[in-house]
Amino acid sequence: MGIIGKHSYRLENTPHIVSSACYVGDKEGKGPMREYFDKICKDDTLGLDSWEQAESRMFESAVRVALAKIGKQSDDLSCLLGGDLLNQIISAGYAAREIRAPFLGLYGACSTISEGLLVGGMLVDGGFLDLAACAASSHFSSAERQYRYPLEMGVQAVPTSQRTVTGAGSIIIKNSASMNDETDWFFKHIVITGGTIGSVEDYGITDANNMGAAMAPAASETICTHFRDYSSSPDDYDCIITGDLGNFGSDMLYELCKKEGYDIKEKHEDCGKMMFSEDQNVNCGASGCGCAATIVSGYFLPQIERGVYNKVLFLATGALLSPVSSLQGESIPSIAHAVVLEHV
């Protein structure tokens, strides 16, 4: 593994992404991405007693389905890496209780899936893991209850707000040295070749209903740092994918990157802008751990597998706030981690 600058690295053994799976809720299943999801759940409780239990079940199911696509079970996992938005990452923790694999719980807020790919990719590349599952989840109703207002209050969403995705995505990473032709891998042509570890950025945003503005600075800093460390530019990538900046955050990202000399607008896609259509009335788009996790695993990875995209830079963005920090009037720090995904 080669270190590049202070933040970036190359993975010399290029671990393979061999499978993925994603579950979403009913509203997400009515959006423009519906054909790319493995499972659309019509009941957002999944018949369980709470939204939190339903989110944990979606997390677990996404991991198990991704493994089943390559003929594997949880016993075959070297490690499960993942997290969610809830206090003490309970969705991931309770799912890990059922999966029974070695578990590394991660909290990067909505950046968790790219953090999982970053950490999991390094561990697999270094030979410490053979088969790793990276997963993340969120649920509209559980997140609203924790971070904003109980749904029963019927509080009207403000124009800058984004809807937390009800969904879970899982991506399986395999050590390239142990790949063989006998296994029918779901993906055979996707590798992780490197990445950039983000730094915490804070532009003083205090409005928890304006996540795009809070997270755009972290996305810009990670993208620009990646270009500088790699001596690259937007022209070196077919697509630059962010997690959930939404409409306002994406526009802010373009301006911040332009100030650093990088025009990314023509190469940029944002999962938060892709999840819902305009007539679904979600204001600035989608957010949540499940946003990037489901769209990358369900849509972008198959595109890379087919060679539609040969090289992409993927970074999910996370707002590192809590209910306590918001009540204390703290600003919202943010983070973004990037991974390089290539077709081989």
Side-chain angles (χ1 to χ4, degrees):
M1 184 170 67
I3 299 172
I4 309 170
K6 187 176 181 180
H7 291 260
S8 302
Y9 59 89
R10 284 192 176 92
L11 298 183
E12 297 171 353
N13 297 314
T14 59
H16 275 68
I17 289 177
V18 294
S19 183
S20 69
C22 50
Y23 275 47
V24 298
D26 182 59
K27 191 175 183 73
E28 291 74 13
K30 293 176 179 176
M33 294 282 104
R34 55 186 171 272
E35 65 181 283
Y36 302 106
F37 302 132
D38 290 286
K39 175 71 174 179
I40 298 172
C41 305
K42 300 300 182 182
D43 173 12
D44 69 356
T45 68
L46 274 66
L48 301 172
D49 293 333
S50 70
W51 295 312
E52 288 77 10
Q53 289 180 1
E55 181 181 340
S56 184
R57 179 68 59 83
M58 293 176 77
F59 186 111
E60 177 190 350
S61 298
V63 174
R64 292 192 185 279
V65 170
L67 287 169
K69 287 181 179 180
I70 54 174
K72 302 293 184 180
Q73 299 179 348
S74 58
D75 289 344
D76 298 307
L77 276 179
S78 304
C79 189
L80 168 65
L81 303 92
D84 54 88
L85 290 176
L86 302 181
N87 288 340
Q88 286 78 52
I89 56 171
I90 57 171
S91 299
Y94 283 112
R97 178 184 66 182
E98 303 303 317
I99 293 171
R100 304 300 301 162
F103 175 56
L104 287 174
L106 304 175
Y107 185 79
C110 302
S111 73
T112 296
I113 192 64
S114 59
E115 182 179 0
L117 289 172
L118 182 150
V119 175
M122 287 193 288
L123 289 171
V124 171
D125 184 76
F128 301 102
L129 304 176
D130 180 59
L131 191 72
C134 306
S137 68
S138 56
H139 194 297
F140 171 73
S141 300
S142 65
E144 290 296 306
R145 175 151 59 193
Q146 176 164 303
Y147 285 100
R148 296 184 180 93
Y149 300 97
L151 297 182
E152 294 83 355
M153 292 182 66
V155 175
Q156 184 173 351
V158 301
T160 57
S161 67
Q162 296 167 245
R163 181 183 173 93
T164 302
V165 165
T166 297
S170 177
I171 299 171
I172 309 297
I173 307 173
K174 173 69 174 173
N175 190 312
S176 296
S178 60
M179 295 277 286
N180 57 70
D181 294 334
E182 286 76 28
T183 301
D184 187 17
W185 305 111
F186 189 72
F187 298 133
K188 298 180 181 180
H189 304 290
I190 309 172
V191 295
I192 306 174
T193 59
T196 298
I197 301 171
S199 57
V200 176
E201 304 296 324
D202 191 337
Y203 272 34
I205 304 296
T206 58
D207 183 3
N209 288 300
N210 195 356
M211 290 291 98
M215 296 186 293
S220 172
E221 180 64 25
T222 299
I223 290 170
C224 295
T225 298
H226 179 83
F227 289 153
R228 288 191 291 265
D229 285 351
Y230 269 74
S231 298
S232 63
S233 74
D235 293 336
D236 295 306
Y237 296 89
D238 297 319
C239 191
I240 298 169
I241 307 162
T242 52
D244 49 357
L245 295 179
N247 298 324
F248 184 82
S250 294
D251 289 341
M252 186 173 173
L253 172 66
Y254 304 149
E255 295 302 317
L256 292 171
C257 287
K258 273 187 178 180
K259 288 183 179 180
E260 298 297 321
Y262 302 106
D263 185 354
I264 70 166
K265 187 173 183 178
E266 297 304 316
K267 293 292 183 75
H268 178 249
E269 295 280 3
D270 181 70
C271 301
K273 295 172 66 174
M274 298 170 66
M275 179 64 77
F276 299 115
S277 59
E278 291 185 7
D279 60 6
Q280 288 184 283
N281 192 29
V282 294
N283 295 311
C284 272
S287 65
C289 288
C291 181
T294 55
I295 289 184
V296 168
S297 61
Y299 175 75
F300 282 109
L301 290 183
Q303 298 289 317
I304 300 170
E305 173 72 8
R306 292 194 294 269
V308 176
Y309 298 119
N310 286 307
K311 185 177 183 179
V312 306
L313 183 66
F314 165 56
L315 60 153
T317 51
L320 304 178
L321 79 165
S322 77
V324 172
S325 66
S326 294
L327 290 172
Q328 292 176 346
E330 283 281 1
S331 57
I332 303 171
S334 60
I335 190 78
H337 303 295
V339 290
V340 181
L341 307 177
E342 296 191 42
H343 173 91
V344 294

